[in-house]
Coordinates of all heavy atoms in Angstrom, one line a residue:
M1 N 14.6 30.5 47.3 CA 15.2 31.0 46.2 C 16.6 30.4 46.0 O 17.3 30.2 46.9 CB 15.4 32.5 46.4 CG 16.1 33.2 45.3 SD 16.2 35.0 45.3 CE 17.9 35.1 45.9
C2 N 16.8 30.0 44.8 CA 18.2 29.5 44.4 C 18.8 30.5 43.5 O 18.2 30.7 42.3 CB 18.0 28.1 43.9 SG 17.3 26.9 45.1
G3 N 19.9 30.8 43.7 CA 20.6 31.9 42.8 C 21.5 31.3 41.8 O 22.2 30.2 42.1
D4 N 21.7 31.9 40.8 CA 22.5 31.4 39.6 C 24.0 32.1 39.8 O 24.2 33.2 39.2 CB 21.9 31.7 38.3 CG 22.7 31.0 37.2 OD1 23.9 30.7 37.2 OD2 22.1 30.9 36.0
H5 N 24.8 31.5 40.6 CA 26.1 32.1 40.9 C 26.9 32.4 39.5 O 27.6 33.5 39.3 CB 26.9 31.2 41.8 CG 28.2 31.7 42.1 ND1 29.2 31.3 41.3 CD2 28.7 32.4 43.0 CE1 30.4 31.8 41.8 NE2 30.2 32.5 42.9
T6 N 26.9 31.4 38.8 CA 27.7 31.4 37.5 C 27.2 32.5 36.6 O 28.1 33.4 36.1 CB 27.6 30.0 36.7 OG1 28.2 29.1 37.6 CG2 28.4 30.2 35.4
A7 N 25.9 32.8 36.4 CA 25.5 33.8 35.6 C 26.0 35.2 36.1 O 26.3 36.1 35.5 CB 23.9 33.9 35.5
A8 N 25.7 35.3 37.5 CA 26.1 36.7 38.1 C 27.6 36.9 38.0 O 28.0 38.0 37.6 CB 25.6 36.7 39.7
F9 N 28.4 35.8 38.3 CA 29.9 36.1 38.2 C 30.4 36.2 36.8 O 31.2 37.1 36.5 CB 30.5 34.8 38.8 CG 32.0 35.1 39.1 CD1 32.6 36.2 39.7 CD2 32.8 34.0 38.8 CE1 33.9 36.3 39.9 CE2 34.3 34.3 38.8 CZ 34.9 35.3 39.4
R10 N 29.7 35.6 35.8 CA 30.0 35.8 34.4 C 29.9 37.3 33.9 O 30.7 37.8 33.3 CB 29.1 34.9 33.5 CG 29.2 35.1 32.0 CD 28.1 34.4 31.3 NE 28.2 33.0 31.6 CZ 28.9 32.0 30.9 NH1 29.8 32.5 30.1 NH2 28.7 30.8 31.3
A11 N 28.8 37.9 34.5 CA 28.6 39.4 34.2 C 29.7 40.1 34.7 O 30.2 41.1 34.0 CB 27.2 39.8 34.8
V12 N 30.2 39.9 35.9 CA 31.2 40.8 36.6 C 32.6 40.5 35.8 O 33.3 41.4 35.6 CB 31.3 40.3 38.0 CG1 32.6 41.0 38.7 CG2 30.1 40.7 38.8
V13 N 32.9 39.2 35.5 CA 34.2 38.9 34.8 C 34.1 39.5 33.4 O 35.1 40.1 32.9 CB 34.3 37.3 34.7 CG1 35.5 37.0 33.7 CG2 34.7 36.8 36.0
A14 N 33.0 39.5 32.7 CA 32.9 40.0 31.4 C 33.0 41.6 31.5 O 33.8 42.2 30.6 CB 31.6 39.7 30.7
E15 N 32.4 42.3 32.3 CA 32.5 43.7 32.6 C 34.0 44.0 32.8 O 34.5 45.0 32.4 CB 31.7 44.1 33.7 CG 31.8 45.7 33.9 CD 30.9 46.2 35.0 OE1 29.7 45.7 35.2 OE2 31.3 47.0 35.8
A16 N 34.7 43.3 33.8 CA 36.1 43.6 34.0 C 37.0 43.4 32.9 O 37.9 44.3 32.8 CB 36.6 42.6 35.2
R17 N 36.7 42.6 31.9 CA 37.5 42.3 30.7 C 36.9 43.1 29.5 O 37.7 43.1 28.5 CB 37.5 40.8 30.4 CG 38.2 40.1 31.4 CD 38.2 38.6 31.1 NE 39.0 37.8 31.9 CZ 39.3 36.5 32.0 NH1 38.7 35.8 31.0 NH2 40.1 35.9 32.7
G18 N 35.7 43.8 29.7 CA 35.3 44.6 28.6 C 34.9 43.8 27.5 O 35.0 44.1 26.3
I19 N 34.2 42.6 27.8 CA 33.7 41.7 26.7 C 32.2 41.5 27.0 O 31.7 41.6 28.1 CB 34.5 40.5 26.6 CG1 34.5 39.6 27.9 CG2 35.9 40.7 26.3 CD1 35.0 38.3 27.9
D20 N 31.6 40.8 26.1 CA 30.3 40.4 26.1 C 30.2 39.1 26.9 O 31.1 38.3 26.6 CB 29.6 40.0 24.7 CG 28.2 39.8 24.7 OD1 27.8 38.8 25.4 OD2 27.5 40.5 24.2
P21 N 29.3 39.0 28.0 CA 29.3 37.7 28.7 C 29.2 36.5 27.9 O 29.8 35.4 28.3 CB 28.1 37.9 29.6 CG 27.9 39.4 29.6 CD 28.3 39.9 28.3
A22 N 28.6 36.5 26.8 CA 28.6 35.4 25.9 C 29.9 34.8 25.4 O 29.9 33.7 24.8 CB 27.5 35.6 24.6
E23 N 30.8 35.6 25.5 CA 32.1 35.3 24.9 C 32.9 34.4 26.0 O 33.9 33.6 25.6 CB 33.1 36.4 24.7 CG 32.6 37.3 23.6 CD 33.6 38.6 23.3 OE1 34.8 38.4 23.4 OE2 33.1 39.6 23.2
L24 N 32.4 34.2 27.1 CA 33.0 33.3 28.2 C 32.3 32.0 28.0 O 31.1 31.9 27.9 CB 32.7 33.9 29.5 CG 33.4 35.1 30.0 CD1 32.9 35.6 31.2 CD2 35.1 35.0 30.0
P25 N 33.2 30.9 27.8 CA 32.5 29.6 27.5 C 31.8 29.1 28.8 O 31.9 29.6 29.9 CB 33.8 28.7 27.4 CG 35.0 29.5 27.9 CD 34.5 31.0 27.9
E26 N 30.9 28.0 28.5 CA 30.3 27.4 29.6 C 31.2 27.0 30.8 O 32.3 26.5 30.5 CB 29.5 26.1 29.0 CG 28.6 25.5 30.0 CD 27.3 26.4 30.2 OE1 26.9 27.1 29.3 OE2 26.7 26.2 31.4
Q27 N 30.8 27.3 32.0 CA 31.6 26.8 33.1 C 31.6 25.4 33.2 O 30.5 24.8 33.4 CB 31.2 27.5 34.5 CG 32.0 27.0 35.6 CD 31.3 27.2 36.9 OE1 30.2 27.6 37.0 NE2 31.9 27.0 37.9
T28 N 32.7 24.6 33.3 CA 32.7 23.3 33.4 C 33.7 22.8 34.6 O 33.8 21.5 34.9 CB 33.2 22.6 32.2 OG1 34.5 23.0 31.9 CG2 32.2 22.8 31.0
T29 N 34.3 23.8 35.4 CA 35.2 23.6 36.3 C 34.8 24.3 37.7 O 34.2 25.3 37.5 CB 36.6 23.7 36.0 OG1 36.9 25.2 35.8 CG2 37.1 22.9 34.7
W30 N 35.4 23.9 38.7 CA 35.1 24.7 40.0 C 35.9 25.8 40.1 O 35.5 26.8 40.7 CB 35.3 23.8 41.2 CG 34.3 22.6 41.3 CD1 34.6 21.3 41.2 CD2 33.0 22.8 41.9 NE1 33.4 20.7 41.4 CE2 32.5 21.4 41.8 CE3 32.2 23.8 42.3 CZ2 31.2 21.2 42.1 CZ3 30.9 23.6 42.7 CH2 30.4 22.3 42.6
D31 N 37.0 26.0 39.4 CA 37.9 27.1 39.5 C 37.8 28.1 38.4 O 38.6 29.1 38.3 CB 39.3 26.6 39.6 CG 39.9 25.9 38.4 OD1 39.0 25.7 37.4 OD2 41.1 25.4 38.5
F32 N 36.8 27.9 37.5 CA 36.5 28.8 36.4 C 37.7 29.0 35.5 O 38.1 30.0 34.9 CB 36.1 30.3 37.0 CG 34.8 30.3 37.5 CD1 34.8 30.0 38.9 CD2 33.9 30.5 36.8 CE1 33.5 30.0 39.5 CE2 32.5 30.5 37.5 CZ 32.4 30.3 38.9
S33 N 38.7 27.9 35.4 CA 39.8 27.9 34.4 C 39.5 28.1 33.0 O 40.3 28.6 32.4 CB 40.8 26.7 34.9 OG 40.0 25.6 34.5
E34 N 38.3 27.6 32.7 CA 38.0 27.8 31.3 C 37.7 29.3 30.9 O 37.7 29.5 29.7 CB 36.6 26.9 30.9 CG 35.4 27.3 31.7 CD 35.5 26.7 33.1 OE1 36.2 25.6 33.3 OE2 34.8 27.0 34.0
W35 N 37.7 30.0 31.9 CA 37.5 31.5 31.6 C 38.9 32.2 31.6 O 39.0 33.4 31.7 CB 36.7 32.2 32.6 CG 35.3 31.9 32.5 CD1 34.7 31.0 31.6 CD2 34.1 32.2 33.3 NE1 33.3 31.0 31.8 CE2 32.9 31.6 32.9 CE3 34.1 33.1 34.5 CZ2 31.7 31.8 33.3 CZ3 32.8 33.3 35.0 CH2 31.6 32.7 34.5
G36 N 40.0 31.4 31.9 CA 41.4 31.8 32.0 C 41.7 32.6 33.3 O 42.6 33.3 33.3
L37 N 41.0 32.3 34.3 CA 41.2 32.8 35.6 C 42.2 32.0 36.4 O 42.0 30.8 36.5 CB 40.0 32.9 36.4 CG 38.7 33.8 35.9 CD1 37.6 33.7 36.8 CD2 39.2 35.2 35.7
D38 N 43.2 32.7 36.9 CA 44.1 31.8 37.8 C 43.6 32.2 39.3 O 42.5 33.1 39.4 CB 45.6 32.3 37.7 CG 45.8 33.8 38.0 OD1 45.1 34.4 38.7 OD2 47.0 34.3 37.6
S39 N 44.1 31.6 40.3 CA 43.6 31.7 41.7 C 43.5 33.3 42.0 O 42.6 33.6 42.7 CB 44.2 30.8 42.6 OG 45.6 31.1 42.7
E40 N 44.6 33.8 41.7 CA 44.7 35.3 42.2 C 43.6 36.2 41.6 O 43.0 37.1 42.2 CB 46.0 35.9 41.9 CG 46.3 37.2 42.5 CD 47.7 37.8 42.1 OE1 48.6 37.1 42.4 OE2 47.8 38.8 41.5
E41 N 43.3 36.0 40.2 CA 42.5 36.8 39.5 C 40.9 36.4 39.9 O 40.1 37.3 40.1 CB 42.6 36.7 38.0 CG 41.6 37.6 37.3 CD 41.7 37.4 35.7 OE1 42.2 36.6 35.2 OE2 41.3 38.5 35.1
F42 N 40.7 35.1 40.1 CA 39.5 34.6 40.7 C 39.2 35.4 41.9 O 38.0 35.8 42.2 CB 39.4 33.2 40.8 CG 38.2 32.7 41.6 CD1 36.9 32.5 41.0 CD2 38.2 32.3 42.9 CE1 35.9 32.2 41.6 CE2 37.2 32.1 43.7 CZ 35.8 31.9 43.0
L43 N 40.1 35.3 43.0 CA 39.8 35.8 44.3 C 39.6 37.3 44.1 O 38.7 37.8 44.8 CB 41.0 35.6 45.2 CG 41.1 34.2 45.6 CD1 42.4 34.0 46.3 CD2 39.9 33.7 46.4
R44 N 40.3 38.0 43.3 CA 40.2 39.4 43.1 C 38.8 39.9 42.6 O 38.0 40.7 43.0 CB 41.3 40.1 42.2 CG 41.2 41.6 41.9 CD 42.3 42.1 41.0 NE 42.3 41.5 39.8 CZ 41.4 42.0 38.8 NH1 40.6 42.9 39.1 NH2 41.4 41.4 37.7
L45 N 38.4 39.1 41.5 CA 37.2 39.5 40.7 C 35.9 39.0 41.7 O 34.9 39.6 41.7 CB 37.1 38.6 39.4 CG 38.0 39.3 38.4 CD1 38.0 38.5 37.1 CD2 37.6 40.7 38.0
H46 N 36.1 37.8 42.4 CA 35.0 37.3 43.2 C 34.7 38.3 44.4 O 33.7 38.6 44.6 CB 35.3 36.0 43.7 CG 34.0 35.2 44.1 ND1 33.5 35.3 45.4 CD2 32.9 34.7 43.4 CE1 32.4 34.7 45.5 NE2 32.2 34.1 44.4
K47 N 35.8 38.9 44.9 CA 35.7 39.9 46.0 C 35.0 41.0 45.4 O 34.0 41.6 46.1 CB 37.1 40.1 46.5 CG 36.9 41.1 47.7 CD 38.4 41.4 48.3 CE 38.3 42.3 49.4 NZ 39.7 42.6 50.0
A48 N 35.4 41.6 44.3 CA 34.7 42.6 43.6 C 33.2 42.4 43.4 O 32.2 43.1 43.6 CB 35.4 43.1 42.4
A49 N 32.9 41.2 43.1 CA 31.5 40.6 42.6 C 30.7 40.8 43.8 O 29.6 41.3 43.9 CB 31.5 39.3 42.0
V50 N 31.2 40.3 45.0 CA 30.4 40.3 46.2 C 30.3 41.7 46.9 O 29.2 42.1 47.3 CB 31.2 39.3 47.3 CG1 30.4 39.3 48.6 CG2 31.0 37.8 46.7
L51 N 31.5 42.4 47.1 CA 31.4 43.6 47.7 C 31.0 44.8 46.9 O 30.3 45.7 47.4 CB 32.8 43.9 48.3 CG 33.3 42.8 49.3 CD1 34.8 43.3 49.7 CD2 32.5 42.8 50.4
E52 N 31.5 44.9 45.7 CA 31.0 46.1 44.9 C 29.8 45.9 44.1 O 29.0 46.8 43.9 CB 32.2 46.4 43.9 CG 33.6 46.7 44.6 CD 34.7 46.8 43.6 OE1 34.5 47.1 42.4 OE2 35.9 46.6 44.1
H53 N 29.6 44.7 43.5 CA 28.4 44.5 42.6 C 27.2 43.9 43.4 O 26.2 43.7 42.9 CB 28.9 43.6 41.6 CG 29.8 44.1 40.6 ND1 29.4 44.9 39.4 CD2 31.2 44.1 40.7 CE1 30.6 45.2 38.8 NE2 31.5 44.8 39.4
R54 N 27.5 43.5 44.7 CA 26.5 42.8 45.6 C 26.0 41.6 44.9 O 24.6 41.5 44.8 CB 25.5 44.0 45.9 CG 25.9 45.1 46.6 CD 24.9 46.1 47.1 NE 24.0 45.4 48.2 CZ 22.8 45.4 48.0 NH1 22.0 45.9 47.0 NH2 22.1 44.7 48.9
M55 N 26.7 40.9 44.4 CA 26.4 39.7 43.6 C 25.3 38.8 44.3 O 24.4 38.4 43.7 CB 27.6 38.9 43.2 CG 27.3 37.7 42.3 SD 28.7 36.8 41.7 CE 29.3 36.0 43.2
F56 N 25.5 38.5 45.6 CA 24.6 37.6 46.3 C 23.3 38.2 46.4 O 22.3 37.4 46.5 CB 25.3 37.1 47.6 CG 26.4 36.1 47.3 CD1 27.7 36.5 47.8 CD2 26.3 34.9 46.7 CE1 28.6 35.5 47.6 CE2 27.3 34.1 46.5 CZ 28.6 34.4 46.9
A57 N 23.1 39.5 46.5 CA 21.8 40.2 46.7 C 21.1 40.4 45.3 O 19.9 40.4 45.3 CB 22.1 41.5 47.4
T58 N 21.9 40.4 44.2 CA 21.3 40.7 43.0 C 21.3 39.5 41.9 O 20.8 39.8 40.8 CB 22.0 41.9 42.5 OG1 23.4 41.6 42.2 CG2 21.8 43.2 43.2
M59 N 21.9 38.5 42.3 CA 22.1 37.4 41.2 C 20.6 36.8 40.7 O 19.6 36.9 41.6 CB 23.0 36.2 41.7 CG 22.2 35.4 42.7 SD 23.3 34.0 43.2 CE 24.9 34.6 43.6
P60 N 20.6 36.5 39.5 CA 19.3 36.0 38.9 C 19.0 34.7 39.6 O 19.9 33.9 40.1 CB 19.5 35.8 37.5 CG 21.1 35.7 37.3 CD 21.6 36.4 38.5
T61 N 17.7 34.3 39.8 CA 17.3 33.1 40.3 C 17.2 32.0 39.3 O 17.1 32.4 38.0 CB 16.0 33.2 41.1 OG1 15.1 33.6 40.1 CG2 16.0 34.2 42.2
I62 N 17.3 30.8 39.7 CA 17.1 29.6 38.8 C 15.7 29.2 38.8 O 15.2 28.7 39.8 CB 18.0 28.5 39.2 CG1 19.5 28.9 39.1 CG2 17.8 27.3 38.3 CD1 20.5 27.9 39.6
A63 N 15.0 29.5 37.7 CA 13.5 29.3 37.8 C 13.2 27.8 38.1 O 13.7 26.9 37.5 CB 12.9 29.6 36.4
G64 N 12.2 27.7 39.0 CA 11.7 26.3 39.4 C 12.7 25.7 40.2 O 12.2 24.4 40.7
C65 N 13.7 26.0 40.6 CA 14.8 25.3 41.5 C 14.1 25.0 42.9 O 14.2 23.8 43.4 CB 16.0 26.0 41.6 SG 17.2 25.0 42.5
A66 N 13.6 26.1 43.6 CA 13.1 25.9 44.9 C 12.0 24.9 44.9 O 12.0 23.9 45.8 CB 12.7 27.2 45.5
E67 N 11.0 25.0 43.9 CA 10.0 24.0 43.8 C 10.4 22.6 43.6 O 9.9 21.6 44.3 CB 9.0 24.4 42.7 CG 8.3 25.8 43.1 CD 9.0 27.0 42.6 OE1 10.2 26.8 42.1 OE2 8.7 28.0 42.9
A68 N 11.5 22.3 42.7 CA 12.1 21.1 42.5 C 12.6 20.5 43.8 O 12.5 19.3 44.1 CB 13.1 21.3 41.4
L69 N 13.3 21.4 44.6 CA 13.9 20.9 45.8 C 12.9 20.4 46.8 O 13.0 19.4 47.5 CB 14.8 22.0 46.4 CG 16.1 22.2 45.7 CD1 16.9 23.4 46.3 CD2 17.1 21.0 45.8
W70 N 11.7 21.1 46.8 CA 10.7 20.8 47.7 C 10.0 19.4 47.2 O 9.7 18.6 48.0 CB 9.5 21.9 47.7 CG 9.8 22.9 48.8 CD1 10.1 24.2 48.5 CD2 9.9 22.8 50.2 NE1 10.3 24.8 49.6 CE2 10.3 24.0 50.7 CE3 9.8 21.7 51.1 CZ2 10.4 24.3 51.9 CZ3 9.9 21.9 52.4 CH2 10.3 23.2 52.9
R71 N 9.8 19.3 45.9 CA 9.4 18.0 45.4 C 10.2 16.8 45.8 O 9.7 15.8 46.1 CB 9.1 18.1 44.0 CG 7.9 18.9 43.5 CD 7.4 18.6 42.0 NE 8.5 18.9 41.1 CZ 8.9 20.0 40.7 NH1 8.2 21.1 40.9 NH2 9.8 20.2 39.8
L72 N 11.6 17.0 45.7 CA 12.5 16.0 45.9 C 12.4 15.6 47.5 O 12.4 14.4 47.9 CB 13.9 16.4 45.7 CG 14.2 16.4 44.1 CD1 15.6 17.1 43.9 CD2 14.3 15.0 43.6
S73 N 12.3 16.8 48.4 CA 12.3 16.5 49.7 C 10.9 15.8 50.1 O 10.9 14.9 51.0 CB 12.3 18.0 50.5 OG 12.0 17.7 51.9
D74 N 9.8 16.2 49.5 CA 8.5 15.5 49.8 C 8.6 14.1 49.4 O 7.9 13.3 50.0 CB 7.5 16.2 49.2 CG 7.1 17.6 49.8 OD1 7.6 18.0 50.8 OD2 6.4 18.4 49.1
A75 N 9.4 13.8 48.3 CA 9.5 12.3 47.9 C 10.4 11.5 48.8 O 10.7 10.4 48.5 CB 9.9 12.3 46.5
G76 N 10.9 12.1 49.8 CA 11.9 11.5 50.7 C 13.4 11.4 50.3 O 14.2 10.8 50.9
V77 N 13.7 12.4 49.3 CA 15.1 12.4 49.1 C 15.7 13.3 50.0 O 15.3 14.4 50.3 CB 15.3 13.0 47.5 CG1 16.8 13.4 47.2 CG2 14.5 12.0 46.6
G78 N 17.0 12.9 50.5 CA 17.7 13.8 51.3 C 18.5 14.8 50.7 O 19.1 14.5 49.6
I79 N 18.4 16.1 51.1 CA 19.0 17.1 50.4 C 20.1 17.8 51.3 O 19.8 18.1 52.5 CB 18.0 18.2 50.0 CG1 17.0 17.6 49.0 CG2 18.7 19.5 49.3 CD1 15.8 18.4 48.6
R80 N 21.2 17.9 50.8 CA 22.2 18.5 51.6 C 22.8 19.8 50.8 O 23.1 19.7 49.6 CB 23.6 17.7 52.0 CG 23.2 16.4 52.6 CD 22.8 16.7 54.2 NE 22.5 15.6 54.8 CZ 21.2 15.0 55.0 NH1 20.2 15.8 54.5 NH2 21.0 14.0 55.7
I81 N 22.7 21.1 51.4 CA 23.2 22.1 50.8 C 24.7 22.3 51.4 O 25.0 22.5 52.4 CB 22.4 23.4 51.1 CG1 20.9 23.1 50.9 CG2 23.1 24.7 50.5 CD1 20.6 22.9 49.3
V82 N 25.7 22.1 50.3 CA 27.1 22.4 50.7 C 27.6 23.7 50.1 O 27.4 24.0 49.1 CB 27.8 21.2 50.1 CG1 29.3 21.4 50.3 CG2 27.3 19.8 50.6
T83 N 28.2 24.5 51.0 CA 28.6 25.8 50.6 C 29.9 26.1 51.3 O 30.4 25.2 52.3 CB 27.5 26.9 50.9 OG1 28.0 28.2 50.4 CG2 27.3 27.0 52.5
H84 N 30.7 27.0 50.9 CA 31.9 27.5 51.6 C 31.9 28.9 51.6 O 31.6 29.5 50.6 CB 33.0 26.8 50.7 CG 34.4 27.1 51.3 ND1 35.0 28.2 51.3 CD2 35.1 26.3 52.2 CE1 36.2 28.2 52.0 NE2 36.2 27.0 52.4
R85 N 32.2 29.4 52.7 CA 32.2 30.8 52.8 C 33.2 31.5 52.0 O 34.3 31.3 51.9 CB 32.5 31.2 54.3 CG 32.3 32.6 54.6 CD 32.4 32.9 56.1 NE 32.6 34.2 56.2 CZ 32.4 34.9 57.2 NH1 32.1 34.4 58.2 NH2 32.6 36.2 57.3

């Protein structure tokens, strides 16, 4: 399973701001600056997303992602999952 972190976090940010999630522009940066988040607000909202909204347990999956990764692996492509706690 591969989760859609941006979709899940978008819902939390929108709820915190009292807006429709569609009002937040497409994420194009690592720091969500296009959503007007500074580092303090990002940390506060992300912590709430993880602890209060259980974001990692409930985030939507990306359809077909796991199968695509298996096809790439079977074709000999090296896959590295990079994450940060």
